[in-house]
Amino acid sequence: MEKLAPILISAHAGSAIVAGHYAGLWTTIHQHPDKKWTISELSEKAGCKERWVKEWVGVLASAGVLKLEEGMIISCDKDVAKTLLPTSDILQLLSELQMFMDKEDKIGACFKKDGPLGVGYSDFPKFQEWMGNWSCCRNKEKNFPERFMKLVEGGVHEALEKGIKVLEAGCGRGQHVMAVAQRYPNSSFVAFDIDEKTLELNRVDAEKLGLINLEFVVEDFCNMRPEWANHFDYVMMYDCMHDLPHPDKAMEGLKTVLKDDGVVTMLDIYASSDMVKETKNPMSTVLYNISLHHCMSVSLASGGVGLGACWGVELAQKMLIEAGWEEKELRLFRDGFMDAIFVMTKGKGLM
């Protein structure tokens, strides 16, 4: 129990943190740094019922997230409140747990030899919405896309400024490609995904932004249209490769659609393929759990290999070489805690 008690406490605190997000309590607390609140004051300011706020405070004061003093006075470290704003990575990762908690019986069944291969995309109807929100948070924090395009070097930023043909593979809710298309209006963009409903939402968003240089199409990594062969100057992928059923074929496809002189960037999770090494990092708990419930699961459910989020940079490099990229054509950057950026240059690239 000594080892499991902190896990139990953290799990319940995490649930209450997300509830506070939806109630607007973290935003209210952040807007008044260093303020000490009564439950009545906090409830009134956030537009909440006192009885609900009191119970919420009980959870998080017990966990040490909030401080509760004599006289029922509440305070919160301003850095904690800032970290739990809707635009934070931590809050988004906590809120992702909502998608998993009612799937535990299905996930458990997949463990059994006679059980399902995995839990598929259709069981996660809110995934694209969540992924879009998380992408927005990360993009804002990292000044995407200009910082990214300059970081990968190879003339990508300069070529986008002049005007090139760009493909985003596996675009999801389109947050990345819309940001790039908006920043680099001289370039033309095509983005594909397998989910038509998501693409319909993307088209509406792109129209609102006035993006006439961007087209969303339904396509499959393993069956990309013949007219795309040797067609694009730059191909980009974000947080997608490890989810795919057949990543080896996808890697081959990326090279096929690239011009003789072009660049591919693939952003994925920075982890080691050595599980013993990777599990020395407690934060890898988050990555493995997301993978257990979603990344690995959806790939296996589609009859795929189930790479998982922690497939690791070593395996990724090996697979890219097996897909036809030469070692001299590959570069790897680490950007922050969890981003691995692979840069593949064909011919002269974009210089």
Side-chain angles (χ1 to χ4, degrees):
M1 188 60 184
E2 186 177 339
K3 285 190 176 181
L4 294 178
I7 296 173
L8 180 63
I9 293 164
S10 296
H12 284 274
S15 177
I17 284 170
V18 174
H21 155 63
Y22 285 113
L25 287 159
W26 296 116
T27 299
T28 300
I29 291 170
H30 175 68
Q31 288 171 345
H32 303 274
D34 303 319
K35 179 174 174 57
K36 295 192 173 185
W37 305 83
T38 63
I39 287 175
S40 176
E41 289 171 339
L42 179 56
S43 303
E44 182 64 29
K45 201 69 177 178
C48 296
K49 302 183 187 80
E50 280 191 38
R51 184 66 189 92
W52 285 84
V53 173
K54 180 180 179 182
E55 209 73 0
W56 178 79
V57 168
V59 179
L60 294 177
S62 300
V65 179
L66 297 175
K67 186 177 181 181
L68 184 62
E69 301 175 80
E70 291 296 329
M72 296 293 286
I73 302 299
I74 310 153
S75 59
C76 180
D77 186 287
K78 59 184 177 183
D79 289 333
V80 170
K82 182 179 180 181
T83 302
L84 294 174
L85 286 174
T87 53
S88 78
D89 276 356
I90 294 292
L91 193 282
Q92 289 300 322
L93 288 170
L94 282 169
S95 65
E96 188 181 21
L97 291 170
Q98 297 171 91
M99 291 188 288
F100 301 156
M101 296 309 291
D102 65 343
K103 310 289 190 307
E104 300 296 7
D105 56 339
K106 292 184 177 182
I107 292 293
C110 295
F111 280 68
K112 307 304 289 184
K113 290 183 179 181
D114 59 350
L117 294 174
V119 179
Y121 277 110
S122 61
D123 282 288
F124 297 97
K126 293 186 177 181
F127 176 76
Q128 294 286 14
E129 178 187 352
W130 175 84
M131 193 68 191
N133 290 336
W134 192 35
S135 296
C136 280
C137 293
R138 296 168 76 193
N139 290 352
K140 184 176 181 180
E141 183 182 293
K142 295 193 173 185
N143 192 28
F144 184 87
E146 187 168 328
R147 174 184 171 276
F148 180 91
M149 299 307 169
K150 291 179 178 179
L151 177 67
V152 299
E153 301 174 340
V156 175
H157 167 71
E158 292 78 9
L160 284 165
E161 290 273 29
K162 292 177 183 177
I164 55 175
K165 293 179 180 178
V166 182
L167 174 70
E168 184 184 4
C171 66
R173 266 309 259 116
Q175 298 296 338
H176 290 100
V177 72
M178 283 190 273
V180 182
Q182 197 168 21
R183 171 59 185 82
Y184 299 100
N186 293 332
S187 291
S188 60
F189 298 82
V190 176
F192 78 78
D193 202 274
I194 59 171
D195 187 346
E196 174 61 38
K197 290 183 179 180
T198 295
L199 295 179
E200 288 175 6
L201 296 173
N202 293 354
R203 293 182 189 113
V204 171
D205 291 343
E207 186 175 353
K208 288 177 181 178
L209 293 170
L211 296 175
I212 59 174
N213 59 335
L214 171 58
E215 179 185 9
F216 288 102
V217 299
V218 176
E219 195 55 85
D220 185 330
F221 275 95
C222 297
N223 298 291
M224 287 192 275
R225 50 194 73 183
E227 60 266 32
W228 283 0
N230 200 37
H231 182 73
F232 294 99
D233 300 284
Y234 174 43
V235 180
M236 53 189 191
M237 264 186 90
Y238 300 93
D239 281 321
C240 180
M241 187 62 80
H242 64 264
D243 288 346
L244 299 180
H246 307 291
D248 53 343
K249 293 180 181 179
M251 290 177 181
E252 292 171 4
L254 294 180
K255 191 163 189 177
T256 301
V257 300
L258 197 64
K259 288 183 179 179
D260 290 336
D261 295 313
V263 171
V264 176
T265 56
M266 182 180 85
L267 184 145
D268 214 282
I269 304 295
Y270 197 100
S272 173
S273 305
D274 182 341
M275 183 180 278
V276 174
K277 177 181 177 181
E278 186 61 33
T279 54
K280 302 298 183 192
N281 178 4
M283 280 300 291
S284 295
T285 306
V286 178
L287 301 178
Y288 277 113
N289 193 48
I290 291 172
S291 185
L292 175 70
H293 287 80
H294 186 271
C295 309
M296 179 192 74
S297 181
V298 296
S299 175
L300 292 173
S302 301
V305 296
L307 279 179
C310 294
W311 61 315
V313 295
E314 301 93 337
L315 178 56
Q317 289 171 311
K318 179 176 180 289
M319 290 180 67
L320 286 165
I321 291 170
E322 289 172 350
W325 296 96
E326 295 181 26
E327 196 168 344
K328 65 181 181 181
E329 296 175 319
L330 298 177
R331 289 182 290 138
L332 170 63
F333 296 88
R334 182 170 190 169
D335 187 23
F337 158 61
M338 63 187 303
D339 288 346
I341 304 170
F342 298 88
V343 183
M344 290 78 83
T345 304
K346 191 175 177 183
K348 297 178 182 178
L350 297 173
M351 296 296 286

